[in-house]
């Protein structure tokens, strides 16, 4: 059997670069740890998963927010709404900070998550039906939603 040099080179490069490739490219990222087995002195190789999910920061923020706001157990549907709002708020904060820096101004106060962070826009409107429509929370939410929509449009 004859193996070409280019095939061997490609395998070596693929193997060496797998540590620098996003975890989502491979199904699971593992790190081999060499341990010494007690009593026998023999080496044992243990594989440990070191991959990090894409939405790990949002999940940590959601868990902290649920604890701070006494929102109970994890809810996948609520998490999806929260994640969307969290990303919109993060984009709005980063955009405002960049604009202030470019203009040579002090960075503005960061927007924070409130009790409505796990609601969709429609749920928020329904919950606040009949309240004053010019309130500050609505304008802040609209600004965050506009930032998220701009980010989604840029990604497409």
């Amino acid at each position: 059997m004859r193996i070409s040099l280019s095939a061997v080179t490609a395998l070596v490069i693929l193997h060496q670069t797998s540590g620098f490739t996003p975890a989502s490219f491979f199904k699971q990222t593992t790190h081999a740890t060499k341990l010494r087995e007690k009593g026998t002195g023999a080496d044992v190789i243990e594989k440990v998963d070191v991959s990090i999910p894409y939405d790990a920061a949002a999940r940590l923020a959601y868990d902290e927010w649920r604890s701070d706001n006494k929102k109970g157990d994890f809810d996948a549907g609520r998490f999806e709404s929260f994640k969307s709002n969290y990303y919109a708020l993060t984009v709005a904060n980063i955009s405002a900070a960049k604009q202030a820096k470019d203009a040579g101004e002090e960075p503005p106060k960061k927007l924070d998550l409130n009790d409505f962070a796990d609601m969709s826009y429609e749920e928020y409107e329904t919950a606040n039906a009949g309240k004053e429509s010019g309130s500050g929370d609505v304008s802040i939410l609209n600004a965050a939603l506009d930032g998220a929509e701009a980010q989604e449009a840029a990604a497409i």
Side-chain angles (χ1 to χ4, degrees):
M1 181 166 92
R2 187 168 183 223
I3 300 175
S4 71
L5 182 58
S6 60
V8 172
T9 304
L11 285 173
V12 169
I13 290 172
L14 179 63
H15 177 70
Q16 290 177 347
T17 60
S18 66
F20 302 104
T21 308
S24 60
F25 185 74
F26 294 99
K27 292 195 186 287
Q28 183 179 19
T29 304
T30 58
H31 176 73
T33 305
K34 192 175 192 180
L35 303 173
R36 182 126 347 237
E37 191 174 332
K38 292 182 180 180
T40 65
D43 289 339
V44 177
I45 303 295
E46 178 182 290
K47 290 188 177 185
V48 180
D49 180 14
V50 293
S51 59
I52 299 172
Y54 175 77
D55 60 357
R59 177 62 194 259
L60 289 172
Y62 180 60
D63 290 341
E64 182 179 347
W65 176 84
R66 281 186 308 110
S67 174
D68 292 347
N69 292 284
K70 298 173 180 55
K71 292 290 185 172
D73 295 332
F74 179 84
D75 180 331
R78 294 269 135 225
F79 175 63
E80 289 304 314
S81 293
F82 176 88
K83 185 168 57 169
S84 176
N85 293 331
Y86 172 77
Y87 289 147
L89 198 68
T90 302
V91 168
N93 283 334
I94 291 171
S95 297
K98 182 180 181 331
Q99 288 174 353
K101 181 180 178 185
D102 291 346
E105 301 170 354
E106 289 291 317
K109 182 179 182 275
K110 288 187 176 184
L111 302 175
D112 291 323
L113 297 166
N114 60 21
D115 292 338
F116 308 110
D118 66 342
M119 290 185 179
S120 69
Y121 184 71
E122 292 77 21
E123 290 172 322
Y124 179 81
E125 281 186 328
T126 302
N128 288 307
K131 292 186 179 179
E132 185 179 324
S133 62
S135 70
D137 284 343
V138 173
S139 62
I140 290 171
L141 182 61
N142 286 334
L145 287 171
D146 290 342
E149 289 171 357
Q151 181 186 22
E152 287 177 13
I156 296 174

